[in-house]
Amino acid sequence: MKNIEILAQEIRDAINAADSIQALDTIRVFAFGKKGIISEQLKSLSSMSSDMRKIAGPVLNSLKKQINGLLTERRKQLRKEIFSAEIAHAKIDVTLPVRQTPAERGRIHPISQVIDEIIAIFSDMRFTIAMGPDIETDYYNFTALNFPQRHPAREMHDTFFFNPDEKGACKLLRTHTSAAQIRTMRKQKPPIRIVIPGKTYRIDSDTTHSPMFHQVEGLVIDKTVTIANMMWVLEHFCKTFFEVPSVKMRFRPSFFPFTEPSMEVDIQCDRSKADIKFGKGKDWLEILGCGMVHPKVLRNCNLDSEEYQGFAWGMGIDRIAMLKYGMPDLRAFFDADIRWLEHYGFRPLDIPTLFDGLTS
């Protein structure tokens, strides 16, 4: 019995010294586990004589009850200490600024915002959105759009080509979203009125060019559309997008394989200071290319060029975003710099609408 008293005192001391719930659990297993010291003593009662059992039984059961009580009390005490420490650590400094919610802290990339602005403008003019794959065939990207076989755009120094397949055909990363025009005209009967935003790829990189960039193209096909309709659509877009009451545009003759006649469009602006101001000034800035759809392109899409005609245009989304919001370097669009995004980005709930203003 003397050994039991010594053991009981050691267990009590260990319980009082325990400084964590884990340490307390270790003591409990040591005392009452399947092979615990007190459990083994209780098992030994069956091998004792009747007289010894009458003496040792009450002592061991009393010890078991006492140790369990000490464990329970110490556990409660430790939990209070842990809770008090957490409360002390979690004190709020009322002098700190209020934390922003995710909706306030997050930012929409300028490219995503400008695409939404473009869609809002053309949706109001009853255009629908068309999409196409980033990986295209040579036929949809060049041949169907009336590119000659020896055209420079087909060369390796301009276009990202994949290795030829088992049939010798080469696929490529599309160099413009015009390929989606062909896909739409082959699937949908006129009248057609679409805009096509998306990624495009060319081998070029500097402050105003990137190997991957964004374009938006538009296409209208019907029986009676004219070049005057195209000029009105583009003028209305520029006034609405740059949020100016009026804009002066200059249409210059140019050449694109898929349009005839073809034109490049300049917009009047003032570049005398760091920021470009549209709708005034004596300077001109090229912003897009356009023209009437070439009859060969219509015929390549199984449309009668004697019955249908149309117009198309295309512009760089990255470029017009830089012009509108004063971003000097195109490469920063793809650097994933959170500081740049916090400066130029848009709040998630700043959804562009015509009735509330594109730029909130």
Side-chain angles (χ1 to χ4, degrees):
M1 297 302 294
K2 185 177 180 181
N3 290 339
I4 293 176
E5 286 299 328
I6 294 172
L7 177 63
Q9 188 58 47
E10 290 176 354
I11 294 173
R12 291 190 197 100
D13 293 342
I15 291 172
N16 291 329
D19 58 357
S20 67
I21 300 294
Q22 291 79 2
L24 208 60
D25 284 337
T26 302
I27 297 169
R28 179 185 58 79
V29 172
F30 171 76
F32 301 117
K34 189 176 285 189
K35 294 185 179 181
I37 192 70
I38 295 179
S39 298
E40 290 294 329
Q41 291 287 342
L42 288 169
K43 289 178 184 176
S44 68
L45 288 173
S46 60
S47 60
M48 294 182 184
S49 65
S50 176
D51 292 335
M52 285 294 295
R53 195 181 305 125
K54 287 179 182 180
I55 298 171
V59 173
L60 289 172
N61 283 317
S62 176
L63 178 61
K64 178 181 178 182
K65 184 177 180 181
Q66 183 185 25
I67 298 300
N68 273 325
L70 289 173
L71 286 169
T72 301
E73 287 301 317
R74 184 59 180 156
R75 188 182 298 275
K76 288 180 181 179
Q77 187 179 0
L78 285 172
R79 283 177 175 169
K80 284 182 180 180
E81 292 174 1
I82 292 169
F83 182 72
S84 297
E86 289 177 350
I87 292 295
H89 181 71
K91 285 192 298 188
I92 297 174
D93 186 350
V94 295
T95 64
L96 291 174
V98 178
R99 291 182 180 178
Q100 291 181 312
T101 64
E104 294 171 323
R105 191 169 61 250
R107 288 294 180 267
I108 300 296
H109 196 283
I111 292 299
S112 300
Q113 182 75 10
V114 169
I115 289 175
D116 287 344
E117 292 179 13
I118 292 169
I119 290 173
I121 295 169
F122 284 109
S123 295
D124 187 65
M125 290 190 278
R126 302 297 186 267
F127 281 76
T128 57
I129 310 303
M131 305 298 288
D134 286 12
I135 298 175
E136 271 293 1
T137 64
D138 181 86
Y139 177 79
Y140 280 110
N141 197 78
F142 292 125
T143 304
L145 287 163
N146 198 36
F147 280 82
Q149 287 296 324
R150 298 294 181 183
H151 195 280
R154 292 179 181 262
E155 300 298 326
M156 292 293 292
H157 59 75
D158 275 342
T159 305
F160 291 100
F161 284 95
F162 291 91
N163 292 329
D165 59 19
E166 62 277 2
K167 296 180 181 179
C170 282
K171 288 192 175 181
L172 51 91
L173 291 175
R174 64 181 181 183
T175 58
H176 44 205
T177 51
S178 303
Q181 295 184 21
I182 303 298
R183 291 181 176 275
T184 301
M185 284 189 282
R186 283 174 164 264
K187 291 189 296 184
Q188 180 180 332
K189 291 184 178 180
I192 297 171
R193 191 183 299 182
I194 58 171
V195 287
I196 313 155
K199 297 184 181 73
T200 49
Y201 309 84
R202 293 178 194 171
I203 303 176
D204 204 354
S205 181
D206 56 41
T207 57
T208 57
H209 296 85
S210 171
M212 188 280 288
F213 56 102
H214 300 80
Q215 274 192 344
V216 61
E217 302 206 12
L219 174 70
V220 175
I221 302 292
D222 209 339
K223 294 182 179 181
T224 58
V225 295
T226 66
I227 200 168
N229 301 137
M230 178 187 72
M231 296 171 76
W232 181 90
V233 167
L234 295 178
E235 181 182 351
H236 178 73
F237 167 77
C238 288
K239 285 194 299 184
T240 309
F241 179 76
F242 291 110
E243 299 180 279
V244 293
S246 62
V247 65
K248 188 174 181 180
M249 304 177 73
R250 184 170 66 183
F251 290 78
R252 293 181 289 104
S254 185
F255 171 78
F256 305 111
F258 36 84
T259 52
E260 180 60 38
S262 302
M263 290 169 282
E264 289 179 341
V265 179
D266 302 329
I267 185 171
Q268 183 189 33
C269 64
D270 180 6
R271 291 192 286 182
S272 59
K273 298 181 181 180
D275 294 334
I276 299 176
K277 303 293 184 182
F278 293 97
K280 60 181 180 180
K282 298 181 180 180
D283 299 313
W284 295 92
L285 187 68
E286 179 189 337
I287 60 167
L288 59 89
C290 61
M292 301 300 290
V293 178
H294 199 290
K296 286 185 178 179
V297 174
L298 294 173
R299 290 195 290 270
N300 287 337
C301 297
N302 302 317
L303 295 176
D304 187 351
S305 59
E306 297 295 327
E307 182 179 6
Y308 294 107
Q309 58 190 22
F311 59 85
W313 72 91
M315 68 187 85
I317 296 176
D318 316 72
R319 189 72 59 83
I320 63 173
M322 293 172 68
L323 293 174
K324 183 173 182 178
Y325 295 111
M327 292 171 276
D329 194 330
L330 178 65
R331 292 170 293 192
F333 281 54
F334 312 104
D335 285 344
D337 188 331
I338 190 65
R339 297 166 300 176
W340 182 91
L341 188 58
E342 286 173 349
H343 179 73
Y344 287 110
F346 294 81
R347 291 177 298 177
L349 299 180
D350 287 344
I351 301 171
T353 58
L354 296 186
F355 61 83
D356 195 33
L358 291 177
T359 309
S360 301

